Amino acid sequence: MLPFPDLLVYATGVLELLGALGLVVASTRSAAGICLAVLFVLMLPANVYAAVENVPLNGDPATPLWFRIPEQILYIGIALWGAEAAALRPRRPAARPRRSAESGSR
């Protein structure tokens, strides 16, 4: 239904990997979680289509719809949880340099 389906599969895989990397880096965690959640929502119709039309994956039978939908919801929830956890985490102020005993007040 969409043009270049093989390219789209690889592109979404790359986006998922980049999103996972973004979740690891603290400064990008919130944005990565939101972007991953949006990606998973956008991919949901394709997953429904693959299940309904029994589209095989690497010769294996299609994953049933009753399994795909909860799995996709779980992924969306985890991505949003990661984004929210990053947004709620208090930012620590920059550490002040310690004064050594030698440079104490005289």
Side-chain angles (χ1 to χ4, degrees):
M1 193 151 98
L2 294 172
F4 311 109
D6 290 339
L7 178 63
L8 288 174
V9 169
Y10 288 113
T12 56
V14 168
L15 290 173
E16 288 174 352
L17 290 172
L18 290 173
L21 180 62
L23 289 175
V24 173
V25 179
S27 63
T28 60
R29 190 168 294 140
S30 183
I34 292 169
C35 289
L36 277 173
V38 168
L39 177 66
F40 295 146
V41 168
L42 293 175
M43 289 172 49
L44 187 58
N47 284 325
V48 170
Y49 173 81
V52 170
E53 295 296 322
N54 290 318
V55 176
L57 177 65
N58 295 328
D60 293 334
T63 306
L65 190 57
W66 63 265
F67 186 78
R68 281 184 188 242
I69 300 297
E71 182 181 38
Q72 199 78 10
I73 291 170
L74 177 67
Y75 293 156
I76 293 166
I78 290 171
L80 290 174
W81 173 74
E84 183 179 348
L88 294 177
R89 188 180 66 231
R91 303 279 185 225
R92 289 189 281 179
R96 287 190 251 167
R98 292 185 183 198
R99 291 179 16 180
S100 67
E102 294 174 3
S103 66
S105 55
R106 293 184 197 186

